[in-house]
Amino acid sequence: MGDTITTPKAASRRSTPAARGGRPRRRKLTFDRVTFFLAFLGIPLTVFVLFVLYPFVQAIYWAMTDWSGYSSDYNFVGLDNFTKMFEDDVFLKALRNVALLAAFVPLVTLSLSLGVAVAITLGGPSKGPVRGIGGASFYRVISFFPYVVPAIIVGLIWAQMFDPNAGLINGFLTSLGLDGFDAFAWLGEESTAMPALMFVFVWGLVGFYAVLFIAAIKGVPAELYEAARIDGAGRFRMTISVTLPSIRDSVQTAYIYLGIAALDAFVFVQALLPNGGPNNSTLTISQHLFTTAFRKGQFGYATAMGVVLAVVTLVFAALVFTVNRLTGGGEEKSSARGFFKGRRAGAKGGAL
């Protein structure tokens, strides 16, 4: 018999066209392939270049001019606007303020949101299948309600709540016998203006991220929680070892979005403290940019502030991605699945 049987090992040694010719053969550009690339790559790339990259490059150019915004005459000044900016005490104060907001607002908001989400989805009976508390849908609606109200309305409402003479906050505190809060100016004191702003910021956003985390927790496989309960883990241990590793990507995305919102922080600040607060204690870069451009007519200088704010935002996002990768991002889901297997084989389980 002259027939031969080709084994997989022999087939793997057979020379491919790329190996024989040194270069892989290029596929022919058919009409279908060209239209596919134009529709799904060319058009989105063109839109991205025209409406994202080009405006950013244009902003960098205007940041190097003394353009007033209301005239076609301007002079190219190079990096003078950036030099002036970092010698401006008001801008440096605004930069410190947004750094403070970006450090605390995402951390506090996400911590509260996770607590609400875990309580709603995993706070049910300690026996039987792992499930949420009764009336979970009602609590989801209540927690999401502040986010439905526009941010400017939230800011104006809380500005009235913090009013020193007719505000509900001082009225409630004085009714408890705390006379020191009679006519206390929450937004007029340098020591309380920034904490009050952070409180409003957190109050307005915590419900949205709670609903986001609830949806993410609903996607965690139920067998992980069942295995955790069999091994004797309590709710806190399940949250640390199962929930957080499983929704790590959602937490990272939420942290970036919240950080960007805190770095901008224009609407809440403008509604509560339109003048930047006492001694510029709550002034943000976007607020200072707005004043410089539309009240002082220094659009070139204001554009330079916008460029710096964009760079700071990109650096913030890069730091979040870097920290996530250095702390084991992408590996946590598999470790969550293997955690309780290791516990079952090793130490005795006990409710934590």
Side-chain angles (χ1 to χ4, degrees):
M1 298 294 292
D3 296 336
T4 58
I5 299 176
T6 304
T7 62
K9 188 174 182 180
S12 65
R13 292 196 299 266
R14 181 178 297 171
S15 58
T16 62
R20 291 196 301 267
R23 292 182 181 179
R25 292 184 299 176
R26 293 182 179 179
R27 295 183 180 180
K28 294 181 180 180
L29 290 177
T30 62
F31 178 77
D32 291 339
R33 287 175 60 81
V34 171
T35 53
F36 175 81
F37 283 121
L38 286 177
F40 293 97
L41 180 61
I43 295 177
L45 185 60
T46 302
V47 172
F48 180 78
V49 170
L50 287 178
F51 295 101
V52 178
L53 291 184
Y54 178 70
F56 190 75
V57 173
Q58 191 178 34
I60 294 175
Y61 173 76
W62 290 116
M64 298 182 182
T65 67
D66 61 354
W67 183 44
S68 65
Y70 304 103
S71 172
S72 59
D73 298 328
Y74 61 88
N75 298 310
F76 188 80
V77 297
L79 299 177
D80 289 352
N81 285 331
F82 295 95
T83 303
K84 176 184 176 181
M85 187 190 315
F86 288 100
E87 293 175 353
D88 184 2
D89 292 337
V90 178
F91 174 79
L92 294 178
K93 186 69 173 290
L95 184 61
R96 287 193 292 270
N97 289 339
V98 296
L100 192 65
L101 287 171
F104 285 96
V105 169
L107 182 63
V108 176
T109 304
L110 295 186
S111 298
L112 293 175
S113 300
L114 279 170
V116 172
V118 170
I120 291 176
T121 54
L122 305 177
S126 57
K127 296 181 180 180
V130 177
R131 59 184 184 273
I133 59 177
S137 299
F138 172 77
Y139 293 112
R140 282 200 296 268
V141 172
I142 293 298
S143 62
F144 191 74
F145 175 74
Y147 189 77
V148 177
V149 182
I152 185 66
I153 303 300
V154 171
L156 293 175
I157 290 174
W158 279 102
Q160 296 301 315
M161 296 273 283
F162 285 123
D163 186 271
N165 298 315
L168 184 62
I169 301 296
N170 285 344
F172 175 73
L173 293 175
T174 52
S175 66
L176 297 178
L178 302 174
D179 297 332
F181 291 99
D182 185 22
F184 183 79
W186 290 90
L187 302 178
E189 297 289 337
E190 189 172 353
S191 59
T192 57
M194 180 60 80
L197 174 62
M198 291 182 178
F199 172 80
V200 175
F201 214 117
V202 172
W203 185 89
L205 295 176
V206 67
F208 172 78
Y209 290 98
V211 174
L212 177 69
F213 291 144
I214 289 172
I217 294 173
K218 290 289 186 180
V220 178
E223 59 267 17
L224 293 179
Y225 292 113
E226 297 297 338
R229 177 168 288 183
I230 291 173
D231 284 344
R235 291 187 180 90
F236 179 77
R237 189 60 174 173
M238 282 194 293
T239 302
I240 298 300
S241 300
V242 179
T243 304
L244 286 179
S246 300
I247 66 170
R248 185 183 183 118
D249 292 340
S250 298
V251 174
Q252 174 188 273
T253 303
Y255 202 98
I256 292 175
Y257 276 115
L258 261 175
I260 293 173
L263 288 171
D264 179 18
F266 180 76
V267 177
F268 286 123
V269 181
Q270 195 67 14
L272 288 166
L273 300 145
N275 297 318
N279 196 23
N280 294 322
S281 59
T282 62
L283 183 69
T284 61
I285 295 178
S286 58
Q287 210 175 10
H288 188 35
L289 183 156
F290 181 84
T291 302
T292 302
F294 293 99
R295 294 184 184 177
K296 299 180 180 179
Q298 301 176 8
F299 273 77
Y301 185 41
T303 306
M305 294 182 191
V307 171
V308 171
L309 180 59
V311 172
V312 170
T313 303
L314 291 174
V315 170
F316 174 82
L319 285 175
V320 174
F321 279 116
T322 302
V323 170
N324 181 63
R325 182 175 292 271
L326 292 177
T327 54
E331 302 174 358
E332 296 294 331
K333 291 183 180 180
S334 59
S335 65
R337 289 181 172 87
F339 173 77
F340 292 102
K341 293 181 180 179
R343 281 195 56 173
R344 193 176 294 117
K348 294 181 179 179
L352 300 178

